[in-house]
Structures are given as C-alpha cells and as structure tokens.
Amino acid sequence: MKTKTNRKLTKSNNRVIAGVLGGIAEYLQWNATILRVLFVLLTIASHGFGILLYLVLMTIIPSKPENIGFFEQMRQAGQRETPKAQHSDGRKEIHNVHEEDEPRHQD
C-alpha cells in the first residue's frame, strides 16, 4: 500500500451517521461497506464498546474543509436571505398609505 505524506484523516462525504468510518476507509483505502460491517461485528462482540469509540472519534476527527456541518449550513442560509424577507415575517408590506381617523360621532 502506497502512503502519501500529505494525507489527513478526515470525515467523509460517504457517510451514514457522521462520516467517521467512511473517512477511515478513505484514509486506509478500504471499502467503506466492509469497514462498517467489521465495525458492527466488533461492536457486538465488545458489548457496545464500539459505540463509545465512535462517539469519541466523531468528536476528534475533523471534517473536510468543504464539509460543513448542519448548523453552519443553516447559518449561511440565514445570511443569504434578503433584508426585505427578514423583516416581513410573512406579512405584506404596504407603502405610501395615508391614514385618517374616522370622525367621532356624538350621540
């Protein structure tokens, strides 16, 4: 197996949950499906230790620069809105309207 010195372990776009196993498979140049099956078998054999390991790896392994998370996507989507859409709150805006009070009736 040839190794590249500039290769980094990152989360993958080939993801089922968080891209951890897909990223490890890309780094090791393995098939991601085979690695996932092995991971499930080892998790069952170790009485669930693999779940804890996965959670730790999910927090340690960085995402690729082009892979942004869900909250970052939502933040960017909010910045793309036009100012008019942000202030309208789903209501119609009426401009250049002159309004007068109704005359009071004295009974």
Side-chain angles (χ1 to χ4, degrees):
M1 172 175 29
K2 291 183 179 180
T3 58
K4 296 179 183 177
T5 57
N6 61 354
R7 245 185 350 171
K8 292 184 180 180
L9 178 61
T10 58
K11 294 178 188 171
S12 173
N13 284 338
N14 182 7
R15 61 179 59 197
V16 174
I17 298 176
V20 172
L21 296 176
I24 293 171
E26 286 177 3
Y27 183 78
L28 297 174
Q29 297 176 350
W30 289 6
N31 186 341
T33 305
I34 293 172
L35 184 65
R36 288 182 183 119
V37 170
L38 288 173
F39 179 78
V40 169
L41 292 175
L42 290 173
T43 300
I44 292 169
S46 66
H47 303 288
F49 179 72
I51 296 171
L52 178 63
L53 179 65
Y54 191 90
L55 292 173
V56 170
L57 291 174
M58 188 171 62
T59 58
I60 293 174
I61 297 176
S63 296
K64 290 181 181 178
E66 66 269 9
N67 290 352
I68 57 174
F70 174 77
F71 295 108
E72 181 66 21
Q73 288 176 356
M74 293 297 107
R75 188 180 70 76
Q76 288 180 359
Q79 290 176 349
R80 287 186 211 131
E81 291 182 14
T82 61
K84 184 176 180 180
Q86 288 179 351
H87 297 294
S88 67
D89 296 328
R91 298 180 182 182
K92 293 182 180 178
E93 293 181 15
I94 302 174
H95 303 282
N96 299 328
V97 175
H98 180 69
E99 195 173 318
E100 294 181 9
D101 290 335
E102 294 181 16
R104 294 188 177 194
H105 296 287
Q106 293 185 2
D107 293 326

